[in-house]
Each structure stands twice: as C-alpha cells, then as structure tokens.
Amino acid sequence: MTAGDSATETISAFRRGEWHTSLDRTHLPGPAGRELALVPEIVAHADRRWWDRALPALPLLTGRRELLLTALELFDSGTLTVGGLGEQSGEAFRSALWESAGLPGPLVDRWCAMLRDGVLKKDDAPEPDDALALVALPGNTFTCLDAVCDQAERSAGVWLRPSRREPLSAARLVAALLAAGWPRARLGFYPGEQRFLHGLLRLTDRHVVFGGTGLATSVRSSPALTLHGPGRGCALVPPDMPTDDAVAWLLPLIAADSGRFCSNVRTVVCEKPDAAAALAQRLAAALDALPPDGPMPLTAFREPGAAQRATHGVRDRLRPGDRILTRRPPVLRTAADDVYALPHLVLLDGPVTSYARDTDTPASHPLIGHETPFPFAAVLSASPGAADAIAADSLFVYRPAK
C-alpha cells in the first residue's frame, strides 16, 4: 500500500484484494492535500478477467448478516485501516467528513444508526448468486451504503464506485468489511471519472446506481439495473388541517437530514385554495428559525461557489408571481469560514390547475419537485386533478396521519 508523499493523503482504490494508489488522482473538496486515486477503465477490464478466474476457487461465504452488522459497528466507531489514510478512528472519520464534505457530527451519528437499523430490520437473508454487483454511490448522503449491504448479502462480489465529492464513507465501509472478516477478493473500490461509470456498468452483472436527473437520462435501462433518481417528494395538506399542525408536520419532512434525502419534501400542495399563502408564511418563518447547528443541522459546502450555485438554482427557476418567503440571505458564511445554503421556501403563483413535468406549457413548473442539497420546498394551491398529477410524479408522497 502506498499513501503518497508526506504532504498528500491519497485515498487508495481497492482491487484484486489489495489497496492500490495511482498516478491518476483528483483533488477532493476541503483541506488542500487530500486526493482520491482513480482507476483507469483498462485496469477495470483486467480486473474483471481476474475476477472470473478467481471466483470458482473462492470458499463459501456464510454468516453474511452477522459480518455486515459487525462491519457497521466498526464503521461507526472502530479504528480501521483505510487505504492511503492509515489508521482512522470513528472520531477521525467524523472530523474528515466535516472538513471535506461539511457533514456535522450529529448527522453522521444519525446516518450510522440508520445504516445499522436498516440491516437489523431486513427480512431473511437472500440466497447468494454468482453475480458481480456494482453500486454507484451519490455524494449527498452515505446512507445509500445500505445498497452495498444489500448487494454484499446477495452477490458473489460487490464493487463500489464512490462519489468524487464524498468518497471517505465508501472507503471506510470497505475497510470495515475487511476488518469484520469479509473475503478480500469479494470487494472492490473503484473511483473514476464520470464516464468511467458506463464502463463499469458493462463490466458488472448487476447494478445499483444513484444520481440526479442528468445521470438518469444518460444510463441505459436494463433488467439488471436499479436506478435511484430524483424522489420529487411532495406533501398533500388537507383543507381541514390547522396551520400550526401543518407546520409542525412539514418542518422535519423538509429540513431533516439537511434536506439531502431523495425522500425530503420539495413540494407542498394545499387542497384549500386560500390556505397556501398563510401556510407558506408560517412555514418560511419556521425554516428561518433553524440554526445551522441546531437539532436539524445543515451541511456546510466545501467547494468554492457550490452553495451559491445551489441557491441560484432556485432563483433561476422562479416565474412571474412566485415569491421567496424565507427572509435570511441565501448563503451564510460564518466566522469560522463555514459556508451554508440556508433553507428556502417559495410560494408559487397559483392556483395550479394542471401539471405535466418537463413540458413547455404553463402546466410545467421547474420548481415543482426541484431537488437541492439543502432544505427547500415550494408551496402551492392546486386543483384536485393537478394535486393528483403532482403526487403521481413523486416517489415519496406524504399525507398526515388520521
């Protein structure tokens, strides 16, 4: 294993059962001197041939569920050897995530617990097959590592392609699995350029891919592919719901997990035509009251200009008559030089009487279902038909419990 020179930390790739560095590297957000080793596609082709030769000789792997639970405990709080970084404690992992990805410690704690709980709540373990699986991960949250756990249980081998924005958690999970006793040959960690993903899809047998709209349109659908794209979460507020109750219900749906989950609410639909404005005003005030380090903490942006670009994405999609009701500046820079995109709430001009996404008609509004890496929602009133159409276009639809 090579960690690079003394001035640079390079997160290594993991292939053919060993950590490997590379002359082909990319800088990571955050502190200067932290890099990620990239795997050329020609190397991945050779590794697939190596895998095909190695698979018949691999011993049977039993007790996968128990190994996964052990690995997730180590991932949370253990001291692990991560390729290129050396020994890393749970505290050092949290510090590194804060420095490079802006993820606050309480959020990391919550997400680690969610990973463990997800495995504990699984049904009986599936019967493993001989497939080589690929999991292409996003940069917004490491809870998507649950897909790695899923594929590790059911596949002969699993390769991880991390996000270049946040590869630390994926590398640490590989280290945790190894420390728990997972066979080295059955794991791979393959960072690469964006175009490298398409090569990995051709080289593997089963694929789980996370990404936004642009990635979703670039990936060819196949029976072996599970694509997790935008969730376009929406909440339907019934006409008889008191405003205070609605605000208390909606606030965590919008702002929990720093608004980074595909399941976060992006669109709030009021069935009562005159209720949207009053609800939006109260909800905007509640979002304005959230501190960056409060019980629903925000993530900091480490790439220069990223917070500004994210918030401009909301403003660029406004139409005449739409109003941003949150009052704080869109971006906050603290005395410690941490940069946050603050929560946004927009009241859409309405009512909306029809809805059809991605059309050049008044029925399409670019802020309905718009996903951001910070808490954001658009509030609108809609006819029953339009509300049904918005809900049908969402993977996550929320209605208050009766």
Side-chain angles (χ1 to χ4, degrees), residues 149-281:
C149 297
D150 287 341
Q151 292 304 316
E153 274 208 282
R154 65 177 299 205
S155 309
V158 58
W159 287 3
L160 289 67
R161 180 191 180 270
S163 164
R164 291 171 62 186
R165 287 183 290 133
E166 197 285 277
L168 286 161
S169 58
R172 183 171 171 85
L173 181 62
V174 170
L177 286 165
L178 295 174
W182 207 272
R184 302 176 73 87
R186 294 182 182 271
L187 293 172
F189 179 70
Y190 284 81
E193 303 283 353
Q194 180 63 45
R195 62 181 180 274
F196 180 52
L197 171 60
H198 299 277
L200 288 176
L201 291 172
R202 293 189 294 268
L203 290 172
T204 50
D205 307 316
R206 183 164 51 237
H207 334 288
V208 181
V209 177
F210 294 85
T213 303
L215 177 62
T217 57
S218 72
V219 176
R220 181 179 300 174
S221 179
S222 78
L225 172 66
T226 301
L227 179 63
H228 296 280
R232 304 176 66 83
C234 79
L236 303 177
V237 182
D240 58 347
M241 189 173 197
T243 300
D244 287 348
D245 293 347
V247 170
W249 172 59
L250 290 167
L251 189 63
L253 294 176
I254 296 168
D257 300 297
S258 194
R260 290 200 161 201
F261 282 11
C262 63
S263 56
N264 280 109
V265 164
R266 311 295 179 177
T267 311
V268 177
V269 181
C270 296
E271 298 178 23
K272 190 176 180 182
D274 57 352
L279 173 59
Q281 291 283 0

Side-chain angles (χ1 to χ4, degrees), residues 308-371:
Q308 290 82 356
R309 290 192 297 272
T311 57
H312 287 164
V314 172
R315 285 162 165 73
D316 291 346
R317 288 170 170 80
L318 293 171
R319 286 184 172 175
D322 298 339
R323 290 185 289 152
I324 298 178
L325 298 185
T326 37
R327 299 294 185 89
R328 289 186 290 182
V331 173
L332 170 69
R333 183 181 294 272
T334 69
D337 216 28
D338 296 320
V339 179
Y340 297 92
L342 295 179
H344 281 48
L345 188 124
V346 175
L347 176 63
L348 301 190
D349 190 35
V352 175
T353 57
S354 61
Y355 172 73
R357 177 161 50 103
D358 296 336
T359 62
D360 294 325
T361 70
S364 174
H365 195 298
L367 283 177
I368 295 178
H370 176 56
E371 301 213 341

Side-chain angles (χ1 to χ4, degrees), residues 285-301:
L287 289 168
D288 276 335
L290 294 177
D293 58 352
M296 287 184 278
L298 298 176
T299 53
F301 285 69

Side-chain angles (χ1 to χ4, degrees), residues 38 50 79 152 212 280 402:
L38 304 179
W50 173 86
T79 296
K402 295 182 179 180

Side-chain angles (χ1 to χ4, degrees), residues 351-399:
V352 175
T353 57
S354 61
Y355 172 73
R357 177 161 50 103
D358 296 336
T359 62
D360 294 325
T361 70
S364 174
H365 195 298
L367 283 177
I368 295 178
H370 176 56
E371 301 213 341
T372 62
F374 62 92
F376 159 76
V379 179
L380 57 97
S381 62
S383 67
D388 290 343
I390 292 170
D393 194 42
S394 304
L395 295 181
F396 300 93
V397 179
Y398 299 90
R399 296 175 174 85

